[in-house]
Every structure is written in C-alpha cells, then in structure tokens.
Amino acid sequence: MRGLLLLLLQAILYFAVMAGLLRLRRRLGIGVFVCALGVMHFLETYLAAVFFIELPFGLISPGSTVLFSGKLAMILLLYLLEDGETVRQPIYGLLIGNMLMVGLVLLLRLYDPPATLTGYNPDLALIDHVGVLMIWGTTLLFIDSIAIIVLFDAIVRRLRGQVVLSALLSLAAILTFDQILFFVGLQLVAGTPASALFGGWIAKMGAAVAFTAMTAIYLRWGEQRPASPETGGVADVFSKLTYRYRYEELLNRSRTDALTGAWNRQQLDVAGPQHLAQAAARGRAFGLAIIDIDHFKQLNDSLGHQAGDAALVGAVVAMKSSIRPGDQIFRYGGDEFVVICGGVPAEDFLAYAERLRAAVAQAEGGALTASIGIATFPGDGADFGELIRAADARLYAAKRDGRNRVASGTA
C-alpha cells in the first residue's frame, strides 16, 4: 500500500508541474515545457533499469510507471490542446537529444580507464547498460509518441468525439505495446525478472487511468480543448508531424477564393472537366449551375464594397448549406458562381437549382436574390465547355425574364 501511494503521489506531482508549465506556455513559451519534459529522460531510464518497488502483483519501476507513462500522457495532452506541428517539437527533440547524449557518452568511453577519485569511481558497466537502454527506449518513445496520436485520432472518430475515453484507450494500448518491447531490452541487458513484465503492465494500466483522470480534470477546469477540424486519418496525422502539411496548406490556399472560401476559377477549369469525365465513364448524371447575384452592382454602389463582400460571403455560406457533401462551389467571376454535381438526374436538376436559389434568397436577411442557368450532361453538351456555354445562355435568359429564377432547357 505504501508503494502504491508513493507512485500515486509521484504521478500527481509530475502531472501538476508539467500541466502548470503547459498552462503557462502562452506566457513562458513552449520551450519551457519541452525542456522539462526531456530533462528527466536519463533518470527515467536509470530508474527503469535498476530501481524497483515490490508489490503483490510484481516488480514496479517508478521510472517506467510514472515518468515514462506521464511523458506519453503529456505528449497526448499537448496534441489535444495544440496540433501536430507543435507536438512534433518535443517528439523530434527527445529523439535527437537522447541520441546525442548516448553519442557523447560513447566518445568518453574511448578514454579508458578514467582517473580514479578517492571514495568514488564511475560505474562504467552501469553507464553502458543505461546507454543501451536509452537507445532502445528512445526509439520506442519516438514510435510510441507518433502511434498514440494516430491511434487517438482513429478511436475518437469511432467514439464520436469522446475525448477522455479515447485518450484512456489509446494510452493503455500504447503503454501495453511499450511494456512488452521495453521489457525485452531489460531482459537482454539487465536480466530483469519476468515478474517485472506483468507487474509493470498492471502498474502502467493504473498509470493510464490516473493520468487520463488528471487530463480530464485539466480539460474540464484548467484549459478548454479548442475545436479542431476533422482530420483525414493516419496520413493526415503524419503530414502534420512533418513539414509537408505546410505545402499542402499553401496549395489549398492557391485553389480557393480568398474572400468567399469557394474554389477559384482556375480550379474550375481543372476540376470541372475531370468530374465530368469521371461521371461519363461511370454512366452517372452530371450537372452544373451558374449563379448570378441579382443587382449586385447597385448593392455595391449604394452600400459600399464591404457590404458587397459580406453579401457574397453570405451567399456562398447559404449555397454550401444547400448542396450535398460531394458537390463543389466555384467563384466564376465578380458576383457569379458555378456549382457542379454528379449523380442528380437531369429531370431532378431543376429542383436542385431551385433549392440553391431559395437558399440565396434567405441569406443576408432576405436582401439577396439570384438568377440561375443550368445545364446537364449529356443532353446539353458533350464536354464541359459546351455545358458552361449552355448554362451561361440560360442564365441571361433568367435575368431577361425578371431575375430571381432558374432557367433550364425545358423551362
């Protein structure tokens, strides 16, 4: 009982200090947290190799149970509060720093024997053992740190956003994986008895529960987790843990209209023919609509360009709420937009466009209306250019006939 209480007090102290530094990262900088996270690695490895507490269910090492489990929990908490770009810093820093420490010690081993001192001499065998375990443990930590983020993102999607339960399950799973593999290193290097494998696993499961509970308390009363956009799975997490996501972000910005967030004209020229070709190859329907905001020039002239910009943004938001998830909106010109979609039969596309028109009419407090011209494949054209020309001609027909209406080939 005394040993369990000691481990629990260590866990509470560790989490309180580390979470406090994390809470102050806006004021002190994230570097303070990262340094504190990494500075204890040698002590963690040393205790995991030689210091054990005997409990009824086996041998327990505070280094492995508290310090390592706590480190993994803090990496996950940092990911919950920030993002992959931020959490990459301690992950790579720990890997490089620990490998550098081992490399420096190996260089010192070239000077053998070291000078003797009265009453104390270095235990080179212990340094060698700890050095081997540090290499093995650091490698596992690098794998564990990335794996826990990947696993958490997969579980939290399955559990529909239950963050605390997802954190517990991912932490327990990765600690189980680590316990098995790190024990292999302990067995080979230090001859650690098998009772440490099972006992250490039970202790780590207890640590997973304890650190998850403290994480839940922190997220409830210490700091709110920010809302995060949906991720694209494993590949998305790894992209955030490398520099490639910056390129993807820049590329995505170059494809979208800066004001409205709709795809831009250049992207329409690329994506439109591609989507049409895919629909034709699969024998699916394909349609496009050109939407023009009615009397937009008068709105700009009377209320100013800021009001005009707000109207365009509101119109796009309204249209996005009306279309299906796979459909796309492009800004075609100043106040003109194109919507493309596949899978809506030609006979139903007029009703689809009417929903778009009604959505715009409800935007901005009912101050906007839109005229729409539509065209469908293959009846209105064999290629994308022909569909654009047909829809454009019908758009002008809709404006000529009084605006705030949809014009089609059958209307």
Side-chain angles (χ1 to χ4, degrees):
M1 187 64 185
R2 180 187 174 192
L4 287 175
L5 181 60
L6 191 63
L7 293 175
L8 180 60
L9 289 175
Q10 274 195 320
I12 293 173
L13 177 61
Y14 180 91
F15 188 91
V17 173
M18 295 303 302
L21 294 177
L22 192 57
R23 183 72 176 83
L24 294 172
R25 68 191 182 280
R26 307 294 184 205
R27 185 180 304 174
L28 302 178
I30 194 65
V32 179
F33 171 82
V34 173
C35 286
L37 193 68
V39 76
M40 292 175 288
H41 188 73
F42 181 83
L43 177 63
E44 171 191 318
T45 306
Y46 173 77
L47 292 177
V50 302
F51 191 97
F52 292 88
I53 296 175
E54 188 166 4
L55 295 175
F57 48 82
L59 294 176
I60 308 301
S61 169
S64 181
T65 301
V66 176
L67 297 183
F68 180 81
S69 301
K71 179 183 293 182
L72 209 55
M74 295 313 300
I75 287 174
L76 180 58
L77 179 58
L78 179 62
Y79 179 67
L80 293 177
L81 296 173
E82 294 289 338
D83 54 22
E85 180 188 8
T86 303
V87 81
R88 179 185 61 222
Q89 299 175 42
I91 291 176
Y92 288 139
L94 287 167
L95 175 68
I96 296 170
N98 293 335
M99 291 302 185
L100 175 60
M101 184 189 306
V102 172
L104 293 173
V105 171
L106 288 177
L107 285 177
L108 290 177
R109 291 292 278 115
L110 297 176
Y111 188 84
D112 191 25
T116 57
L117 300 174
T118 303
Y120 180 79
N121 286 295
D123 189 342
L124 297 181
L126 176 61
I127 290 177
D128 291 340
H129 288 170
V130 172
V132 172
L133 289 175
M134 282 191 70
I135 294 175
W136 182 231
T138 298
T139 304
L140 288 178
L141 175 63
F142 181 74
I143 296 171
D144 293 343
S145 299
I146 296 177
I148 197 170
I149 295 171
V150 174
L151 186 59
F152 171 82
D153 274 2
I155 294 175
V156 79
R157 285 195 302 272
R158 288 290 186 91
L159 298 183
R160 302 182 183 276
Q162 297 186 42
V163 173
V164 175
L165 180 57
S166 300
L168 174 60
L169 294 176
S170 56
L171 188 58
I174 299 304
L175 286 176
T176 298
F177 165 81
D178 182 85
Q179 176 65 13
I180 294 172
L181 291 186
F182 189 70
F183 177 78
V184 172
L186 285 174
Q187 181 71 27
L188 293 175
V189 173
T192 305
S195 59
L197 172 62
F198 183 68
W201 178 77
I202 293 178
K204 281 186 175 179
M205 294 305 97
V209 172
F211 281 117
T212 302
M214 287 185 277
T215 297
I217 293 171
Y218 182 83
L219 292 175
R220 177 67 177 84
W221 287 287
E223 185 175 354
Q224 293 292 320
R225 182 191 180 206
S228 300
E230 289 188 11
T231 60
V234 171
D236 182 71
V237 175
F238 277 109
S239 294
K240 287 184 176 182
L241 291 175
T242 64
Y243 290 97
R244 188 169 65 86
Y245 93 98
R246 291 184 181 274
Y247 168 75
E248 297 291 344
E249 183 182 36
L250 180 62
L251 185 62
N252 188 59
R253 287 181 180 178
S254 70
R255 294 172 175 171
T256 57
D257 174 55
L259 173 64
T260 64
W263 298 106
N264 60 28
R265 174 70 179 269
Q266 290 75 21
Q267 189 63 16
L268 174 66
D269 294 339
V270 174
Q274 288 179 348
H275 285 289
L276 174 58
Q278 291 171 0
R282 298 171 183 172
R284 301 180 68 214
F286 180 86
L288 67 83
I290 301 181
I291 302 99
D292 181 90
I293 306 300
D294 293 331
H295 305 297
F296 182 74
K297 185 177 185 304
Q298 290 90 321
L299 187 152
N300 254 347
D301 292 343
S302 60
L303 299 179
H305 288 286
Q306 287 187 336
D309 289 348
L312 292 177
V313 173
V316 170
V317 170
M319 287 188 285
K320 284 183 176 180
S321 69
S322 173
I323 65 175
R324 305 169 309 165
D327 302 340
Q328 292 179 297
I329 299 177
F330 303 82
R331 190 174 183 184
Y332 192 52
D335 61 337
E336 287 187 347
F337 299 88
V338 171
V339 171
I340 63 173
C341 73
V344 176
E347 60 270 20
D348 297 330
F349 198 67
L350 177 60
Y352 177 95
E354 282 288 356
R355 289 197 299 273
L356 279 172
R357 185 198 61 78
V360 174
Q362 294 172 4
E364 299 297 299
L368 300 178
T369 61
S371 301
I372 302 177
I374 64 173
T376 57
F377 170 84
D380 295 318
D383 60 41
F384 193 73
E386 290 182 2
L387 293 180
I388 285 286
R389 287 190 289 273
D392 196 46
R394 290 163 188 167
L395 169 64
Y396 280 96
K399 294 167 70 174
R400 186 177 57 248
D401 292 342
R403 304 178 190 271
N404 192 25
R405 65 190 64 226
V406 179
S408 68
T410 58

